[in-house]
Structures are given as structure tokens and as C-alpha cells.
């Protein structure tokens, strides 16, 4: 079974303190296991999962592009 898990946190998200970060135990070198962690500057709760908008910060546009194109 092949899968990819995308974990995303935004610095404006009040829930980000409880989110997975690069320093979270077990997450180091997780890309080799298909787990990708994104910290999105200028993003809040679920902003990257919403419909694209002309007001989206470049960091959100870039995160969406990386996920879509598989360039992490």
C-alpha cells in the first residue's frame, strides 16, 4: 500500500501549538516514509485547504503547488 500524509501548520493558526513540527519525536526523516510536514508562514486554520483566492499569501500558494506537483 502506498500513501502520502501531508501535515500542515500555519503560524497564524491558534491550533498550531499542538501540531506536528519538524522537532516532533518520530517526524525526523519522515519524508522517506511518505510523511510530509509543512509549516506555512501567513496561514491560519485550513487556509491551504480552502478554494484558492487572490488574497492568499504566496506561502499558501506555494504549499498547494508543492502538494499538487509532488515537489516537496
Amino acid at each position: 500500500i502506498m500513501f502520502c500524509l501531508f501535515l500542515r501548520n500555519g503560524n497564524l493558526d491558534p491550533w498550531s501549538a499542538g501540531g506536528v513540527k519538524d522537532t516532533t519525536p518520530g517526524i525526523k526523516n519522515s519524508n522517506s516514509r511518505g510523511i510530509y510536514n509543512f509549516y506555512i508562514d501567513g496561514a491560519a486554520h485550513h487556509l491551504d485547504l480552502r478554494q484558492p483566492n487572490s488574497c492568499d499569501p504566496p506561502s499558501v500558494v506555494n504549499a498547494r503547488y508543492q502538494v499538487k506537483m509532488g515537489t516537496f
Side-chain angles (χ1 to χ4, degrees):
I1 297 175
M2 183 172 232
F3 72 92
C4 290
L5 177 63
F6 299 97
L7 305 169
R8 298 175 279 213
N9 281 302
N11 68 317
L12 302 179
D13 188 344
W15 296 99
S16 67
V20 176
K21 298 176 179 53
D22 290 335
T23 57
T24 301
I27 204 70
K28 190 174 184 179
N29 299 322
S30 61
N31 288 9
S32 65
R33 298 189 314 268
I35 302 170
Y36 304 95
N37 190 33
F38 290 88
Y39 182 80
I40 308 171
D41 193 39
H45 196 69
H46 292 293
L47 179 60
D48 58 308
L49 299 177
R50 294 183 181 151
Q51 194 72 0
N53 184 302
S54 62
C55 297
D56 288 338
S59 57
V60 172
V61 174
N62 183 42
R64 286 187 188 124
Y65 178 80
Q66 288 185 49
V67 170
K68 181 178 180 181
M69 302 306 290
T71 56
F72 346 98

